[in-house]
Amino acid sequence: MDNNDLIYLMSVAQHGSLSRAAKQLDVSISTVARRLDALEGALKLKLVDRRATGAFLTPNGERIAVMAEPIVEQSARIQRTADALRNGDRVQPVRLSATEFIVSDVLAPALPDLWRRGIHFPVHLMSQVQVVSLASRDADIAVRMSRPEGNSLIARKLPEISQGLFASVTYLGERKASEIDLSQERLIVFDDSYGRLPEMDWLSQMGLISAVAIRTPSIRAMLNSAISGGGIALLPAPFARRAGLTEIPLEGMIPSRAPWIVCHRDTRRLPNVAKVYGWIVDAFKIATGISSG
């Protein structure tokens, strides 16, 4: 048995599909399938039930995945130690994985505060839709829009971000926001890149799916579309208001989103990681209006 095949099993367990596991591991779907086949062949057990709706671990697969977690963690720990020994005294960057909007609209404006903290090492802000593996050291810190699972991870909830539907004065024209019938408008919303989202469930419950004109994984694209008058966009409220957009009154509230900052237990205590971690927490407080800085 190749212990590296266990990484593929763990990724499928986390993401629930071969395609999402492939994105996270930066390999092809066929590679994920092949490595799972090899693992099942070596163990002579059916580990993954592959369906049209996704990939799910069998009871045997779940038991093996629980046993595999410390093996995968130990392998990653060995790799991190080898990296440190190989690099010697060279200063290593702290790598942060987050969505494009968090990188560009929450963290980038907070860079002056990062420098004021006496940062003397590189910081890599990686804009990524897919969930990276902290155990495999694809990143040192991640900001995710849902709470992660894993005994080796430390997660802290960041300030919730309220959401709403927003339009520009150009789009509204002479109409009042309170007069808008959303079912007759052009709505700009998320696609399924992030999986099933509460706000999209809300949209469906309100009977507004038929009004959706544009789907995109990019909040920045939705924001700019709304600013240009291209439609009514589902947006994080603090940023939409800051851009001068008008909020459309709703009968019910759109579910808020709670970001999570996540670190691996092995890296959380590292001084450089701790400095960037604290900066991220404060950047979210400022961006969501909890702190004036």
Side-chain angles (χ1 to χ4, degrees):
M1 182 187 77
D2 185 344
N3 283 352
N4 288 327
D5 291 341
L6 296 171
I7 296 173
Y8 295 82
L9 180 68
M10 299 292 291
S11 185
V12 170
Q14 179 182 5
H15 297 287
S17 80
L18 267 63
S19 61
R20 288 178 188 159
K23 280 186 179 180
Q24 186 252 312
L25 296 168
D26 195 24
V27 298
S28 66
I29 296 175
S30 61
T31 296
V32 176
R34 177 171 54 80
R35 300 298 289 265
L36 290 174
D37 288 341
L39 183 61
E40 290 180 331
L43 298 177
K44 296 180 174 57
L45 289 171
K46 180 70 172 177
L47 303 177
V48 179
D49 184 7
R50 307 174 201 184
R51 308 175 190 172
T53 55
F56 307 92
L57 267 58
T58 65
N60 287 335
E62 291 175 354
R63 292 185 65 182
I64 296 298
V66 170
M67 298 178 67
E69 185 172 0
I71 298 173
V72 171
E73 294 294 340
Q74 185 64 25
S75 177
R77 191 173 293 115
I78 291 171
Q79 185 60 57
R80 285 193 291 271
T81 301
D83 289 343
L85 293 171
R86 187 170 55 252
N87 290 316
D89 295 330
R90 283 188 295 169
V91 176
Q92 295 300 300
V94 173
R95 294 168 297 170
L96 164 64
S97 173
T99 63
E100 164 243 6
F101 190 76
I102 288 173
V103 169
S104 63
D105 288 72
V106 177
L107 300 179
L111 285 177
D113 179 50
L114 181 66
W115 310 139
R116 283 193 292 270
R117 294 170 187 246
I119 300 300
H120 60 277
F121 50 86
V123 178
H124 293 181
L125 302 179
M126 302 185 296
S127 176
Q128 298 168 306
V129 172
Q130 67 269 27
V131 176
V132 300
S133 172
L134 296 175
S136 300
R137 197 65 190 276
D138 295 333
D140 301 294
I141 307 173
V143 177
R144 299 176 179 172
M145 297 309 295
S146 59
R147 184 169 188 169
E149 297 180 358
N151 295 331
S152 63
L153 300 178
I154 299 175
R156 173 177 173 175
K157 189 177 181 180
L158 294 166
E160 288 194 357
I161 302 175
S162 61
Q163 299 189 92
L165 291 169
F166 292 85
S168 68
V169 173
T170 301
Y171 181 86
L172 293 174
E174 299 297 322
R175 300 179 297 170
K176 295 181 180 179
S178 58
E179 299 172 346
I180 294 297
D181 178 359
L182 290 170
S183 65
Q184 303 301 312
E185 303 297 329
R186 297 187 185 93
L187 302 186
I188 304 168
V189 301
F190 287 105
D191 65 13
D192 61 358
S193 297
Y194 299 99
R196 185 169 180 174
L197 300 176
E199 54 266 48
M200 296 306 297
D201 288 341
W202 177 88
L203 208 69
S204 178
Q205 292 166 8
M206 297 298 291
L208 296 174
I209 293 297
S210 61
V212 172
I214 299 292
R215 290 180 182 267
T216 173
S218 169
I219 297 179
R220 172 57 53 183
M222 289 194 285
L223 181 65
N224 284 334
S225 296
I227 292 172
S228 70
I232 299 176
L234 196 163
L235 293 166
F239 305 96
R241 293 175 186 137
R242 201 171 300 157
L245 295 173
T246 300
E247 187 167 6
I248 307 300
L250 302 172
E251 293 182 3
M253 289 186 62
I254 300 175
S256 298
R257 298 290 297 279
W260 293 80
I261 181 171
V262 192
C263 270
H264 193 277
R265 290 186 183 276
D266 285 351
T267 57
R268 175 66 181 90
R269 64 178 67 93
L270 298 176
N272 289 355
V273 171
K275 289 180 181 179
V276 176
Y277 184 101
W279 167 68
I280 295 168
V281 171
D282 289 342
F284 266 88
K285 290 178 180 178
I286 294 171
T288 54
I290 291 179
S291 169
S292 60

